[in-house]
């Protein structure tokens, strides 16, 4: 099956045991910059969409109201 080639095995030079990695618990303001920028981009898209919906709804209400008042 699989055989280990003894020539490819390297001796471990640093024999100290490293500290295990543990997650760092931080506040939201100190989060990773990548995720903060992604959240900002998503927030900007959401606000732009809401602003466009409000604009078109007000414009359509004005047009419909103007049409109904003119008749």
């Amino acid at each position: 099956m699989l055989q280990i080639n003894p020539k490819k095995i390297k001796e471990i030079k640093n024999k100290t045991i490293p500290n295990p990695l543990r997650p760092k618990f931080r506040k939201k303001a100190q989060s990773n910059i990548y995720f903060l920028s992604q959240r900002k981009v998503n927030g900007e898209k959401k606000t732009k969409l809401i602003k466009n919906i409000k604009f078109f709804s007000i414009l359509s209400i004005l047009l419909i109201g103007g049409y109904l008042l003119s008749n």
Side-chain angles (χ1 to χ4, degrees), residues 31-55:
S31 270
N32 190 344
I33 287 244
Y34 172 76
F35 294 111
L36 286 176
S37 64
Q38 286 294 324
R39 191 180 313 143
K40 181 182 176 191
V41 169
N42 290 341
E44 288 174 354
K45 286 181 182 178
K46 186 183 265 186
T47 55
K48 189 174 181 182
L49 178 67
I50 291 172
K51 195 179 288 186
N52 284 342
I53 290 172
K54 284 182 183 179
F55 174 73

Side-chain angles (χ1 to χ4, degrees), residues 20-35:
L21 295 174
R22 63 182 179 86
K24 294 180 180 178
F25 298 100
R26 300 179 180 151
K27 297 177 187 174
K28 283 188 178 181
Q30 296 175 335
S31 270
N32 190 344
I33 287 244
Y34 172 76
F35 294 111

Side-chain angles (χ1 to χ4, degrees), residues 62-71:
L62 286 175
L63 289 175
I64 292 171
Y67 177 76
L68 291 175
L69 287 175
S70 66
N71 284 340

